[in-house]
């Protein structure tokens, strides 16, 4: 076998051992969000996002399992990205109507430079 095939099979085998217990090895549902922020407003937006994700994962939003804030890159100082996960698409749909998201956009909306870009899809999550 070519080395890359062997490595790929080993990686798949190893990653299988780390499937998230949250999803029971089944596909979860996630979003990847890109936000452009007005100049000089990144720190304020980041603090608003921290509060949003704390509330999202403290039990107020059922079946929310993960949230990450990907801080701006040097090449894109006014762009921040979020990675979020729920157990199912139905759970994510509840998030779309949840008071927590309304509170986030009420505070963050004036800091945004354009509409959020959101990619949503089923996903497999691995963690150690």
């Amino acid at each position: 076998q070519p080395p890359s095939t062997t490595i790929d099979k080993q990686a798949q085998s190893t990653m299988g051992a780390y499937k998230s217990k949250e999803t029971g090895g089944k596909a979860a549902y996630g979003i990847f969000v890109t936000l452009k922020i007005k100049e000089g407003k990144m720190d304020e937006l980041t603090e608003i996002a921290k509060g949003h994700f704390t509330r999202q994962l403290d039990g107020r939003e059922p079946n929310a399992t993960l949230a990450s804030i990907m801080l701006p890159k040097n090449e894109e100082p006014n762009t921040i990205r979020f990675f979020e996960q729920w157990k199912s698409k139905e759970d994510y749909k509840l998030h779309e109507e949840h008071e927590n998201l309304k509170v986030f956009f009420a505070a963050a909306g004036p800091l945004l430079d354009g509409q959020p870009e959101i990619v949503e899809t089923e996903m497999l999550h691995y963690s150690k």
Side-chain angles (χ1 to χ4, degrees):
Q1 284 187 12
S4 62
T5 304
T6 302
I7 292 170
D8 290 344
K9 286 184 180 183
Q10 288 172 343
Q12 288 174 359
S13 174
T14 301
M15 289 305 290
Y18 295 118
K19 278 192 180 178
S20 171
K21 292 178 182 166
E22 287 293 325
T23 63
K26 295 185 276 184
Y29 203 78
I31 61 173
F32 187 76
V33 181
T34 301
L35 300 172
K36 305 284 185 188
I37 310 305
K38 291 179 180 173
E39 187 71 38
K41 299 296 183 180
M42 185 59 71
D43 289 343
E44 187 177 350
L45 186 280
T46 302
E47 289 304 311
I48 292 167
K50 287 178 184 178
H52 171 68
F53 292 131
T54 297
R55 292 185 302 274
Q56 183 171 307
L57 295 170
D58 71 2
R60 292 179 222 195
E61 292 196 41
N63 297 323
T65 59
L66 181 132
S68 298
I69 299 171
M70 300 176 76
L71 298 173
K73 302 185 315 184
N74 290 338
E75 312 83 65
E76 298 177 297
N78 296 319
T79 300
I80 194 167
R81 292 172 175 88
F82 302 152
F83 176 69
E84 303 173 58
Q85 178 186 22
W86 292 265
K87 288 185 178 181
S88 70
K89 183 175 183 176
E90 293 75 23
D91 295 322
Y92 169 65
K93 294 302 177 188
L94 291 174
H95 165 75
E96 288 183 312
E97 300 300 323
H98 198 279
E99 185 66 24
N100 185 35
L101 189 61
K102 293 174 186 173
V103 168
F104 171 77
F105 277 114
L111 310 179
L112 301 181
D113 189 12
Q115 293 296 311
E117 295 176 25
I118 302 172
V119 175
E120 60 176 270
T121 187
E122 285 188 356
M123 58 182 288
L124 298 175
H125 175 72
Y126 299 87
S127 62
K128 188 171 181 181

